[in-house]
Every structure is written in C-alpha cells, then in structure tokens.
Amino acid sequence: MVSDLAAAPGNSAPLELVDLHKRFGSQQALAGLDLTIQRGTCYALLGPNGAGKTTTLNILLGFLTPDQGRARIDGVDVLADPEGARRRLAYIPEQVQLYPRLTGFENLEYFHALGSTVAADTDMLRDCLRRAGLADAAHDRRVATYSKGMRQKVGIAIALARRAPVMLLDEPTSGLDPQAAWELNASLRDLAGQGITILMATHDLFRAREVASRIGILVAGRLRQDLDADSVAGAELETLYLEEVRQLQGTGP
Amino acid sequence: MMKRLIAKEWLELRRDGSFWMLLVILALLAVGAVLGAAEQARVQHEAWHAASAGERERWLQQEDKHPHSAAHYGLYAFRPAAPLAFFEPGLHPYLPVTVWLEAHRQNEALYRPAQDAGSAGRFGQLTPATIVTALLPLLVVLLAAPAIAGERERGTLRLLMAQGVAPGRWVLGKALALSVLLLLLLLPLWLLATAVLMFAAAETDALLRWLGTGVVVSLYLGGFLLICLLVSACCRTVRGALLILLGLWALGTLVAPRIVMEWAEWRHPTPTSLAFRQAIADDLGATAELDAMLAQRTAALLKEHEVERTSDLPVNLDGIRLQVGEEHGYAVFDEHFGRLHDGFLAQESLLQRFGLIAPYLAVTSATTALAGTDLLHYRHFFDSAEQYRRTIQALMNDYITRHPEQDGQRLSAGADLWATVPEFSYEGLRVSNALLSQASALTVLVLWFLVPGLGLLRVAPRLAP
Ligand SMILES: Nc1ncnc2c1ncn2[C@@H]1O[C@H](COP(=O)(O)OP(=O)(O)OP(=O)(O)O)[C@@H](O)[C@H]1O
Ligand SMILES: [Mg+2]
C-alpha cells in the first residue's frame, strides 16, 4: 500500500548527508558527518548520549541549520527547500507530544489533515492506530488519560498515515512495553520491505540488530562505523561500540 | 486547513472547563450591563421629556410682567441623553444635565465639574465600554498568549512542522481561528445591544454610531490579538508570553493613559474655575467698550429716525441698552468659553495622537465620540443652549424697544409674548461630525492593527519549532 509513494525521483539515495558540521558554542555536536542510506534500508544510528543523533535528525527536519555541509532527502536539499524536504518525511520524536484535550483519534486526524497531502478516511486512520498498537478502546479517549507509551503509539500512527518515502525516528521504542516495541519493529521491517527508507537513532544495540539492515556508530559527531547488520554478531557489535566510545572519550562511558 | 484549525481550537476550548466559567461570567456581566444601561437610558429619556415639557409649561404660564423680568425669570435647557451613553457614558457623569438660561449671564458655574474633574476622572469606572476596551483585552491575552508559545513549549509545534505544515499558513490559521472564536463570543452581545437600541426606537444616526463603535472596538481587539500572537510567536514559554503581554496591557491601559493625560493638561493648561470667572468679570466690567457700543447704536438710531435728541426717538431706549449690554457680554463670553473649550479640545486631540503609545486612549476617544458623550458633543449642546438664550433676550429686548413707556407706567407683557419664544429643540451632532473629529484616533487604530499584522507576517514563515 506504500510502495507507489515511496518511489524516489531520479536515482539519488533517499538520504544523503555530506560533511555535516554543527557547533553549539564550544560544543562540537557534529564534526563532519557523512552518511548515505539506500532505498528500503532500515538504518540504526547508535551512539552515546550527546553523540549528535538528535542534532542530525534536527538538521534533516530543517529545525537546525548546519554550519557546514549539506543534506538531501529524496533528492531535495533541506537548506534550499526545508518544507519540500519535510513533505517527504515522516518523523517520530523521542517524546511524542499531543493535544491532551483531544482524543487519540482526533489528534491523528488533526495532524494528518494539516500536514499530509494524502487524503485519509476514518478507516485508514483507525487502521494506522491499530498497526501502531493502540487498542480500539483507547482511540476515542482523551490523550490526557494516556500513558507515555500510548502517546508514543499515536505518534507512530501519525507517521504511518503519512506514507512518506523516508522515516526518521528518535528512540522510537522509548516508553513502549515489550509487546508494542516488538510490534513496532515488525512494522518497521515491513515498511523497509516496501521500499521505505528509515533512519532511527537509538541506544539499544539489541533492537538495532533485530530490526535494522545497516548499523552506524556515531561518536562525537562523526560516523565511526557503517556496518551491514547481518555481518556482525550481537556480541561483536557491543565490543565494537564500546571500543569506539572509549577511544574517543578517553574514559569509559 | 483553516477549517480544521478552527474546528480543533474550538474543540479544545469547548473541553476546557475554565473557559466556560469565564464565558458565563463575561456573558452575565455583559448582558446585565447592557440591559441595566438600557433601562437606565429609558428612565432618563422619560425624565428628560417630562422635565422639558414642565419647563416649557412653567415659561408659558408665568404671570404678566415686564419682559426683562421675564428674561430674569429664566428657564432651564435640558441636555438630552446621548444615544449610546448606555455603552460609553464618557464625560456625561461629570457634565451638567441642565443649562440655566437667564439675562446677562452665561452659566459658567455649571461648567465647573467638567473643568475640575478633567478627563482623568473617568478612568476606573466600570462601564460596558471599559469592560470591552479594558477588560476584554485580558481575555484576548489569556486566549492568544498560549496560541503559539504553548504549542512550542508542549512540543506539538515541532511535530506539526515536521509534518510539513507551512508555519506561515499555520499562524494565519491560528489568527483566523482566534478571530472567529472572539467574534462568536462577542457578536451575540453586540447583536443584543443592537436589538436593545432598535427596540428603544433609536434613529439611524444612533445605529450608525453603534456600527462604528463595533468597527472601532474590532480594530482595537484585533490589534491586540495580533500583538498577542506576535509575542507568542517569539516566546519560548507561555509564562514568558503571558508576562510580557500582561505587562503591555497594564502599561497601555493603566499607566500610559494617565501619564499622557497629565502631560496633556500640562501642555494645554486650562484655568481653574475661580480664575476663569474672575477673568470674565474683569472683561465685563470694562465699561468703556460698552459705552462706545451704546453711543454708536444711539447715533445710528438718531440718524435713522432723523431726529436730534434721544427723547424724540419713537423707541424705548431701555430695550436698546439692554440688548447692547447683552451683545457686549456675548463677545466676552464667546472669547473666554471659546478659549476654555479649545483648551479642552486641544488636550483631547493630544490624547488621540498619543494613542500611538497607549492605543487605549485612541479607542476610548473614538468610542466616546461615537457615543456622543465627549466634549465636542457637549460643547455643541452648550452652544445651542446659549444660542437659545440669546434668542430669548433678543425677543424680550425687542418687545421693550418697540413699546416706549407711557405716562411713567411700567411696561407689562403676557402670554402672547411668552408664546413667541420657540420651544428649545436640540439637534445633536451627526455621526459624520464625530468621525471627523476622531481622524487621529482612527488613524492610530488602523496602525495599531496593521503594524503588528505586518510584524506577524514577517515572523510567521520563519517560526522556530
Ligand atoms: N540547542 C542546543 N544548544 C546547545 N547545545 C546543544 C543543543 N542541542 C544539542 N546540543 C549539544 O550537542 C551535542 C549533541 O547533542 P544531541 O542531542 O544531538 O545528542 P544525542 O546523540 O541525541 O544524545 P542522546 O542520546 O542523549 O539523545 C550535545 O553535547 C548537546 O549538549
Ligand atoms: Mg537525542
């Protein structure tokens, strides 16, 4: 149901980040990040706290301007046309924030109506909520009564309903119960299979290996490793990660 | 998109209990104020009718007497209630309701309260107009301060922008949604007041004034809404936006008007009533001018009737003397009252222009003028009453002049003469006069709406999440 919309114009990679630099005062958040992600890839970006993961996503969303370098989404430069770039994105933030006085369904309907070019009917939107793991009984309750994980699920539904060719996720499973996390991962794998390109920032090495087809390790604003998920075993990945972190930060994390 | 935005804002408000409470309180307050004021206006109008008719009767029924005694017998002119005084009493509580019309004197004493209270006194009064122009902006602040800053603080703005929503259009939608909400809240009240006006059989002029008041108030509240959105767009938190906006409100509504008013009174000082009366008395006492006027008039009469001595004139010189005395007074009164009024009006026009830093002054000035309760309207009434007094004097003195005393018998007139005095009928100023006098205030209000609007148009497309 998604593949027709996922087609990238031309033959450029859906996500292209070239030599990104970003500094906050004395803090160098990104120090020359290069990253290209091919169509249909689910890419897990691993990194310790403060590595620059959120900063990277913020640049792709057009919320931050890089000091140097450029980024393209589906061939659209985020600096030249931030709104055009955003139209090709679906995004799930670390903490999904909704309107507490509206129900989960009303929130989804509102965000979708305002932001999407895809027309939606009630059935399609309810289906998105279900696929995100929100029980039918909760759809029409006010978000003020939701748990953190339930809000997260509405956020996922909002992203799913967009049917965008590229998805950005920041710690998508934070706050989800194990079953919901498992369902989300299954969903992501499914989407990647349909040609959606996914970039997901995470700390969770285990889940990264489980869902991603490629894994990058970001430390101190630079991509240290860019691995094929199938080519590394779990234990191997952990050792690699810790090594990279220790090497750059001098002391242990 | 706009429809969705409006629907969502409305839904959120509808589910907000405190909003309903606020609304109910506001509605009760406003409905009470309008109905109470309308009833008061009706009672006043009846009282005015009764008093005017009674006074006319008293004049016509007076016994036979010397016409000059009749001129001293005097009568009251009653100021009719202004059409929209129920909404904006303006200066009316401080201005006299009656003008006493008698020979030789213009009643400066009756003018005293206005002079001493100045325009400063009218602040702090809870009238329907102050509810709308001073308190309603607080509601606008409460509604609009969180509009953008709140979504930014909560994080929904981030998610919205990530959805590809164009921030410029979103802000426009917010402005539209809030305007529609405010309109939905205020329109019923405005219509209720309109119905009350129509029921009171008000003339077209009053309805036009009411329409103008609606436009002026909308401009003011609209400007307020745009400023709220502008501040909200630039603030990180709702707290910050509220703090700034409440500060602006207090400054613009409570502090700045007083300062500007003090300054206007200092810039265009008006005399105290004591000094004012003294100055008039001094000029009236300058008899040289009066004597010259009298001599000139007598000479003209002698020439006209081709006689040598005044005793040969076929007219009663008492009448001439009285009339010349009146006319000498007119020049003195006109000069002094003209200067006093001009001083007040200069103060008012300063206030209008200083509306730029305190638009509350501009909107108050405009609504007061539209309500017909400002100085301009009062001056018009005052001048008409004075004109009427002069008509009476001229009629009485003319009668005396035409009736030379015979055999030393005192002249006496009766009902026939009294009836030649027309009834005092006052035609108030038209709405066009009111609008013309408010050109500065209206310009200020248009700027007050346009400037923050343009600011918002610049800021909105570059909104930070
Ligand atoms: N708005 C900002 N102002 C100043 N410094 C910032 C800002 N945003 C990020 N930083 C700094 O940039 C660096 C990278 O931050 P970023 O949020 O991208 O890390 P992260 O990889 O997402 O970390 P985490 O795993 O904790 O979410 C950090 O050192 C952070 O302190
Ligand atoms: Mg982060």
Side-chain angles (χ1 to χ4, degrees):
Chain A
M1 71 189 268
V2 188
S3 45
D4 52 325
L5 285 144
N11 44 15
S12 60
L15 270 172
E16 247 188 308
L17 288 69
V18 182
D19 195 29
L20 283 181
H21 285 73
K22 181 70 191 177
R23 170 187 281 282
F24 297 104
S26 63
Q27 186 72 39
Q28 189 75 43
L30 291 180
L33 171 64
D34 288 296
L35 176 61
T36 304
I37 304 177
Q38 298 302 332
R39 207 165 95 84
T41 305
C42 180
Y43 196 102
L45 195 59
L46 290 171
N49 295 126
K53 302 184 293 293
T54 302
T55 303
T56 305
L57 297 186
N58 276 339
I59 288 174
L60 289 172
L61 286 162
F63 294 161
L64 282 178
T65 315
D67 301 331
Q68 192 185 317
R70 58 192 172 76
R72 277 206 291 242
I73 296 168
D74 217 14
V76 179
D77 193 298
V78 295
L79 279 175
D81 182 10
E83 275 162 36
R86 276 185 214 138
R87 272 198 294 276
R88 292 167 165 78
L89 284 178
Y91 165 64
I92 305 176
E94 221 170 328
Q95 307 243 331
V96 173
Q97 303 296 345
L98 305 166
Y99 301 101
R101 288 202 189 93
L102 305 188
T103 66
F105 181 74
E106 284 165 349
N107 265 286
L108 168 61
E109 207 182 18
Y110 177 69
F111 276 103
H112 189 76
L114 250 63
S116 185
T117 45
V118 184
D121 55 79
T122 310
D123 290 341
M124 185 280 237
L125 292 179
R126 289 206 186 268
D127 188 51
C128 287
L129 280 175
R130 267 176 229 122
R131 276 165 56 210
L134 193 70
D136 278 35
H139 290 193
D140 297 315
R141 259 170 48 201
R142 290 196 199 174
V143 164
T145 67
Y146 278 19
S147 68
K148 178 175 183 259
M150 289 163 84
R151 287 203 303 272
Q152 203 71 17
K153 288 172 186 172
V154 177
I156 294 166
I158 292 172
L160 290 177
R162 278 177 74 69
R163 302 196 213 168
V166 177
M167 267 180 113
L168 302 180
L169 298 87
D170 203 347
E171 293 290 339
T173 49
S174 75
L176 292 186
D177 57 58
Q179 195 209 339
W182 184 86
E183 275 171 11
L184 174 65
N185 285 341
S187 244
L188 291 177
R189 271 196 304 268
D190 191 33
L191 288 170
Q194 293 171 31
I196 305 280
T197 311
I198 300 167
L199 172 59
M200 141 178 136
T202 182
H203 293 128
D204 192 331
L205 272 61
F206 169 71
R207 292 221 181 277
R209 251 190 52 76
E210 189 185 46
V211 65
S213 48
R214 285 196 79 78
I215 297 175
I217 299 178
L218 183 71
V219 185
R222 209 186 285 245
L223 198 64
R224 297 286 151 186
Q225 297 283 345
D226 190 357
L227 311 159
D228 190 336
D230 298 330
S231 67
V232 282
E236 211 179 322
L237 181 62
E238 190 165 11
T239 320
L240 252 173
Y241 176 83
L242 291 176
E243 249 171 36
E244 288 293 349
V245 172
R246 288 213 182 94
Q247 201 176 319
L248 252 123
Q249 298 189 332
T251 57
Chain B
M1 164 169 171
M2 299 298 162
K3 238 175 72 189
R4 299 299 306 212
L5 248 165
I6 293 170
K8 172 249 171 194
E9 299 290 326
W10 177 239
L11 197 61
E12 275 193 299
L13 265 186
R14 235 182 54 198
R15 291 178 182 170
D16 182 352
S18 55
F19 168 75
W20 284 108
M21 224 151 71
L22 203 69
L23 196 66
V24 167
I25 291 173
L26 197 80
L28 286 178
L29 204 70
V31 170
V34 167
L35 292 182
E39 173 60 13
Q40 199 188 342
R42 194 187 59 79
V43 169
Q44 268 174 5
H45 187 70
E46 272 173 13
W48 174 80
H49 245 299
S52 301
E55 193 62 7
R56 177 72 184 163
E57 266 317 287
R58 198 179 64 83
W59 171 261
L60 292 177
Q61 300 295 322
Q62 63 180 311
E63 68 257 34
D64 293 359
K65 53 170 74 78
H66 191 277
H68 189 60
S69 299
H72 275 294
Y73 182 73
L75 77 163
Y76 280 110
F78 295 93
R79 168 164 62 76
L84 301 182
F86 79 92
F87 176 71
E88 169 67 279
L91 287 175
H92 271 189
Y94 310 98
L95 294 172
V97 180
T98 57
V99 177
W100 175 243
L101 308 172
E102 189 189 333
H104 311 311
R105 65 181 69 165
Q106 202 172 21
N107 272 278
E108 77 271 17
L110 289 176
Y111 207 72
R112 203 175 52 79
Q115 195 178 339
D116 290 350
S119 18
R122 66 186 202 235
F123 285 86
Q125 279 228 321
L126 199 67
T127 64
T130 48
I131 291 177
V132 168
T133 54
L135 293 187
L136 220 51
L138 275 179
L139 178 79
V140 176
V141 166
L142 290 181
L143 273 179
I148 299 169
E151 299 229 8
R152 176 180 292 130
E153 190 179 0
R154 204 192 293 145
T156 41
L157 177 57
R158 207 181 139 78
L159 195 53
L160 268 176
M161 285 179 67
Q163 292 283 100
V165 176
R169 290 194 60 206
W170 180 71
V171 169
L172 190 72
K174 275 270 178 186
L176 216 66
L178 286 169
S179 311
V180 169
L181 278 180
L182 275 175
L183 210 65
L184 282 178
L185 297 183
L186 294 180
L187 205 61
L189 282 176
W190 192 81
L191 289 175
L192 173 72
T194 311
V196 166
L197 262 179
M198 308 248 289
F199 191 70
E203 305 159 25
T204 330
D205 188 66
L207 289 175
L208 283 177
R209 283 167 181 271
W210 184 235
L211 193 72
T213 304
V215 172
V216 162
V217 167
S218 305
L219 264 182
Y220 182 63
L221 291 180
F224 227 98
L225 177 65
L226 290 173
I227 287 183
C228 288
L229 287 174
L230 191 60
V231 170
S232 191
C234 298
C235 280
R236 224 177 261 283
T237 62
V238 177
R239 232 176 88 94
L242 271 177
L243 230 62
I244 292 176
L245 288 170
L246 289 179
L248 280 178
W249 173 83
L251 210 68
T253 311
L254 303 177
V255 183
R258 270 160 218 272
I259 295 175
V260 173
M261 241 174 308
E262 293 289 328
W263 190 72
E265 270 163 40
W266 173 80
R267 204 43 235 286
H268 297 284
T270 43
T272 64
S273 49
L274 195 68
F276 182 67
R277 243 174 307 172
Q278 189 57 50
I280 290 186
D282 287 351
D283 282 3
L284 282 177
T287 47
E289 208 174 320
L290 178 60
D291 292 344
M293 280 171 79
L294 202 55
Q296 195 188 1
R297 184 71 62 90
T298 317
L301 274 172
L302 289 173
K303 202 171 162 208
E304 184 190 332
H305 293 281
E306 294 171 336
V307 292
E308 296 284 318
R309 286 174 310 165
T310 51
S311 52
D312 295 335
L313 282 172
V315 299
N316 188 341
L317 267 184
D318 283 348
I320 302 290
R321 238 177 263 125
L322 283 168
Q323 186 59 24
V324 170
E326 282 293 340
E327 282 165 18
H328 172 240
Y330 296 166
V332 173
F333 290 134
D334 285 347
E335 191 196 324
H336 284 271
F337 275 94
R339 224 181 306 140
L340 182 69
H341 276 126
D342 288 345
F344 282 131
L345 291 177
Q347 285 181 2
E348 280 212 341
S349 84
L350 250 185
L351 295 193
Q352 279 188 43
R353 269 174 282 139
F354 268 83
L356 266 188
I357 53 168
Y360 182 61
L361 287 172
V363 73
T364 306
S365 178
T367 52
T368 314
L370 282 167
T373 53
D374 64 344
L375 267 176
L376 186 79
H377 287 75
Y378 180 70
R379 182 183 188 172
H380 188 253
F381 166 74
F382 186 85
D383 287 347
S384 301
E386 172 63 12
Q387 220 47 58
Y388 183 58
R389 184 179 78 90
R390 291 177 187 184
T391 306
I392 299 176
Q393 302 319 311
L395 284 169
M396 295 300 119
N397 292 334
D398 182 58
Y399 186 87
I400 297 172
T401 308
R402 283 188 287 105
H403 293 81
E405 280 183 2
Q406 279 153 6
D407 318 329
Q409 208 180 13
R410 195 168 159 74
L411 181 64
S412 182
D416 287 349
L417 176 60
W418 316 148
T420 60
V421 173
E423 203 169 343
F424 177 56
S425 75
Y426 172 62
E427 265 300 313
L429 284 174
R430 301 274 107 198
V431 61
S432 49
N433 300 102
L435 286 176
L436 278 177
S437 76
Q438 294 300 314
S440 313
L442 295 174
T443 313
V444 164
L445 283 172
V446 169
L447 286 178
W448 163 256
F449 184 82
L450 282 184
V451 171
L454 290 176
L456 198 60
L457 280 183
R458 270 186 69 83
V459 167
R462 279 168 256 162
L463 203 65

